[in-house]
């Protein structure tokens, strides 16, 4: 559905850009948060590009 790698998903999760809930070993995401991040449902969305274009310090690469 998201068409992004597991590493990208982990980065979005650990950086706090994609909220999640963890129950046991399973990680859950709210559909509204996913839609907010992806917008039109493709990884080429400008929101995703803007999020991923920043390093961990919040500065542009």
């Amino acid at each position: 559905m998201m068409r992004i790698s597991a590493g990208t998903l982990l980065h979005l999760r650990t950086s706090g850009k994609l909220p999640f809930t963890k129950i046991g070993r399973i990680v859950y995401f709210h559909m509204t948060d996913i839609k907010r991040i992806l917008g039109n449902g493709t990884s080429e969305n400008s929101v995703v590009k803007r999020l991923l274009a920043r390093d961990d310090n919040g500065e542009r690469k």
Side-chain angles (χ1 to χ4, degrees):
M1 178 185 155
M2 295 176 69
R3 295 184 184 152
I4 59 175
S5 70
T8 301
L9 182 59
L10 178 63
H11 174 73
L12 290 171
R13 196 177 84 201
T14 58
S15 66
K17 296 174 183 171
L18 184 59
F20 68 97
T21 301
K22 188 171 183 180
I23 300 175
R25 295 172 57 188
I26 301 173
V27 178
Y28 295 93
F29 301 95
H30 286 276
M31 185 64 74
T32 54
D33 293 328
I34 293 171
K35 288 180 180 179
R36 176 183 52 83
I37 292 291
L38 295 180
N40 64 8
T42 65
S43 60
E44 290 79 24
N45 183 287
S46 62
V47 174
V48 173
K49 285 182 179 180
R50 191 170 62 243
L51 289 173
L52 300 179
R54 299 185 184 280
D55 63 13
D56 293 336
N57 297 324
E59 299 175 353
R60 294 200 59 78
K61 290 183 181 178

